[in-house]
Amino acid sequence: MTMALDDITEPDELRALRADVSERLAVALNERHGDAIVPGRRVRLVRITPVCMVNLTGIVQADATGKRKTNRYDVLLDESSTQALRQDPRVDNTHRATRPEPGVLRQLVTSVPTKCMILADRDS
């Protein structure tokens, strides 16, 4: 059944449609360009909350941990991103991010949506 945009009256329906369109667009762009976010690829976190994680880079891990696993992966941050997260004062204002302990070189960020990642293989 195809639904017209004018038929949507509830905010939750509109949010669901927006999420579906965003996901379909990401898949189409990945297929078109031959780029896919898969385990082992280097990614940059974008459009993610909390904002203290924006622009951090890391390697996509094999599986997502936690309750939600669909279209999500764990990301192992690189050393410079782990250090940046450790020094960011905004980490204390959120429960979604934890400050890496002093001895930790690479922090694991769990269950990151693929829509919040872009490929960063060519980043320096």
Side-chain angles (χ1 to χ4, degrees), residues 25-42:
L25 179 61
V27 168
L29 288 173
N30 283 340
E31 289 174 356
R32 181 177 183 191
H33 297 292
D35 292 334
I37 295 175
V38 294
R41 300 291 299 266
R42 186 167 185 260

Side-chain angles (χ1 to χ4, degrees), residues 23-92:
E23 190 171 315
R24 287 184 188 193
L25 179 61
V27 168
L29 288 173
N30 283 340
E31 289 174 356
R32 181 177 183 191
H33 297 292
D35 292 334
I37 295 175
V38 294
R41 300 291 299 266
R42 186 167 185 260
V43 294
R44 179 173 301 278
L45 303 181
V46 294
R47 298 182 312 272
I48 190 170
T49 54
V51 259
C52 60
M53 292 187 166
V54 172
N55 284 326
L56 299 181
T57 57
I59 304 295
V60 175
Q61 301 302 293
D63 292 313
T65 55
K67 295 178 188 175
R68 299 168 65 186
K69 296 182 181 184
T70 306
N71 297 324
R72 292 170 180 263
Y73 287 108
D74 291 349
V75 176
L76 184 62
L77 298 179
D78 54 34
E79 291 182 28
S80 60
S81 290
T82 300
Q83 184 65 21
L85 187 62
R86 182 179 293 119
Q87 295 174 348
D88 196 324
R90 297 174 292 186
V91 173
D92 298 327

